[in-house]
Amino acid sequence: SFSSMNGKSEAPFEEKTFRELHKLSMVFNVQWLVGSLQKYFQGRIYQIGDLYSKGLSDIEAVEFKKETKFVMEESRFMFEKWGDRFLIYLHTFIGVVRLLPIDLIKAFLEESISDLNSMALFDIYTLLAIAEPLQLDIFLRQILKELAEISIFGENFIFLLERLNLILSHIHFPELNEQVLDLLVAKLDIIPHKDTKRVFKFLTYNAHKKVFPQKPLKSVYDAKSFEWFRDGIFEGCRNNPDNFLFVAEHKHVRSINTFIDYISYVLLTYGEDELPEINVTEILGQLVSNYYNRDLNK
């Protein structure tokens, strides 16, 4: 079971007094109580996995909602009160939920995000962290629902739009992305002036993809290892004053990633006196030119 991963709590604390006890133990630095409370809380996180592993009867489904609500609220409180070191509990919660069956994760995300406007921003962040790429449609559908109903853009809506993984949502759900784009454009007049830049991030990214669709990757059957490039190309141009351009234009360099490998190689293996002087603008221009002229893979 999930709980066996961390053991059961030895302290039978009550949920309603947990937060106050935790605050007092932290303020007065009562280490044994802090440890017992935090062990208890970690046990509550693992209990979520145990509830789902039983199959979730109606009673257990109610208990699951209660547990997730308690864990998310307390994780948020700890983070806001005491800072980043308490994010470990949020990350544990995310890890436990992501181990659940996919259909159950989907149901949890759908139900949670449906209450978007009354959620804490921390909880929206948590749901986005739980979601796999193929579950991003849940958020796109909620955005569409909000766009169809809202007369003003709220903070929670903009926060979700701003933090959605644009690359993955565009790759996996291009049609939904396009619907969101069209509705956003139709409602530009109700975007608060202070939030214009935040919303335009989504608009400009998707508009660019619409005008400049991504090229399909070419198949490369003679792929070479980093060691091959290191021994065959990188080492050989150590004393070449135009080594960056040399690598960028090399016939065997068929991916931008190989050039990134070369930059990493230079930074990690060259001494300060060996680092070449480069014209960044010229190098970037050459990379862009090579990408289009030679049809390189990204």
Side-chain angles (χ1 to χ4, degrees):
S1 70
F2 281 86
S3 57
S4 64
M5 295 165 68
N6 194 52
K8 292 290 186 182
S9 171
E10 296 172 358
F13 300 107
E14 292 187 15
E15 184 176 308
K16 61 184 179 182
T17 60
F18 171 79
R19 183 178 295 185
E20 291 307 314
L21 279 173
H22 199 193
K23 283 196 293 186
L24 287 170
S25 66
M26 292 290 290
V27 168
F28 293 104
N29 196 27
V30 184
Q31 290 300 318
W32 69 267
L33 185 55
V34 170
S36 295
L37 284 160
Q38 291 179 0
K39 184 176 181 182
Y40 163 80
F41 185 62
Q42 197 158 19
R44 291 288 294 266
I45 297 175
Y46 285 113
Q47 187 174 323
I48 291 169
D50 286 340
L51 286 170
Y52 254 150
S53 67
K54 294 174 183 175
L56 275 192
S57 65
D58 290 342
I59 295 175
E60 286 164 342
V62 171
E63 187 68 17
F64 173 80
K65 292 176 186 176
K66 177 185 171 186
E67 286 297 314
T68 53
K69 183 174 184 289
F70 171 72
V71 167
M72 289 176 74
E73 285 180 351
E74 293 305 316
S75 295
R76 180 173 72 249
F77 175 79
M78 291 180 202
F79 167 69
E80 292 173 349
K81 186 76 175 174
W82 297 302
D84 289 357
R85 64 196 174 108
F86 282 86
L87 280 175
I88 185 172
Y89 297 110
L90 174 67
H91 294 155
T92 302
F93 170 71
I94 291 170
V96 167
V97 175
R98 292 185 79 174
L99 288 174
L100 301 175
I102 292 176
D103 58 330
L104 298 179
I105 299 174
K106 185 174 184 288
F108 168 67
L109 292 173
E110 285 174 339
E111 182 169 353
S112 300
I113 201 65
S114 67
D115 199 21
L116 175 64
N117 291 316
S118 61
M119 295 179 70
L121 299 182
F122 184 90
D123 295 342
I124 298 173
Y125 166 84
T126 301
L127 297 182
L128 287 168
I130 289 170
E132 299 285 355
L134 291 176
Q135 294 164 339
L136 292 176
D137 62 315
I138 295 169
F139 301 102
L140 288 169
R141 293 182 198 282
Q142 184 63 32
I143 289 170
L144 283 172
K145 180 175 178 290
E146 298 289 330
L147 279 171
E149 298 173 356
I150 61 177
S151 57
I152 188 166
F153 284 48
E155 173 61 23
N156 284 18
F157 174 84
I158 294 175
F159 182 88
L160 173 59
L161 192 68
E162 190 177 32
R163 281 160 179 77
L164 192 66
N165 190 314
L166 299 180
I167 296 174
L168 292 178
S169 62
H170 179 85
I171 290 172
H172 293 292
F173 304 101
E175 292 182 6
L176 278 176
N177 239 42
E178 184 132 340
Q179 290 175 44
V180 171
L181 177 63
D182 291 342
L183 266 177
L184 269 176
V185 170
K187 296 208 170 188
L188 284 178
D189 57 325
I190 65 170
I191 300 176
H193 181 69
K194 65 182 178 63
D195 295 319
T196 302
K197 277 188 178 180
R198 298 167 68 189
V199 174
F200 265 61
K201 176 184 173 184
F202 183 94
L203 289 172
T204 53
Y205 177 86
N206 283 288
H208 181 272
K209 290 296 181 185
K210 215 171 172 181
V211 177
F212 303 105
Q214 186 165 347
K215 300 182 300 181
L217 290 178
K218 299 187 287 87
S219 295
V220 179
Y221 297 103
D222 59 342
K224 296 174 174 58
S225 67
F226 170 78
E227 288 74 18
W228 188 93
F229 282 107
R230 180 194 63 199
D231 298 338
I233 299 177
F234 298 171
E235 273 295 321
C237 65
R238 181 178 283 268
N239 298 317
N240 186 336
D242 296 321
N243 50 4
F244 280 90
L245 287 176
F246 175 79
V247 171
E249 295 172 342
H250 199 284
K251 66 179 182 180
H252 287 301
V253 176
R254 299 180 180 177
S255 165
I256 295 297
N257 288 331
T258 303
F259 189 76
I260 301 303
D261 284 342
Y262 176 64
I263 293 175
S264 301
Y265 168 79
V266 168
L267 293 175
L268 290 171
T269 64
Y270 280 38
E272 283 190 21
D273 57 333
E274 293 182 286
L275 287 174
E277 293 183 6
I278 61 171
N279 183 319
V280 176
T281 303
E282 183 182 6
I283 295 296
L284 290 177
Q286 189 63 42
L287 276 176
V288 172
S289 173
N290 283 357
Y291 174 69
Y292 286 106
N293 293 340
R294 296 178 52 209
D295 196 27
L296 295 181
N297 287 329
K298 282 188 177 178

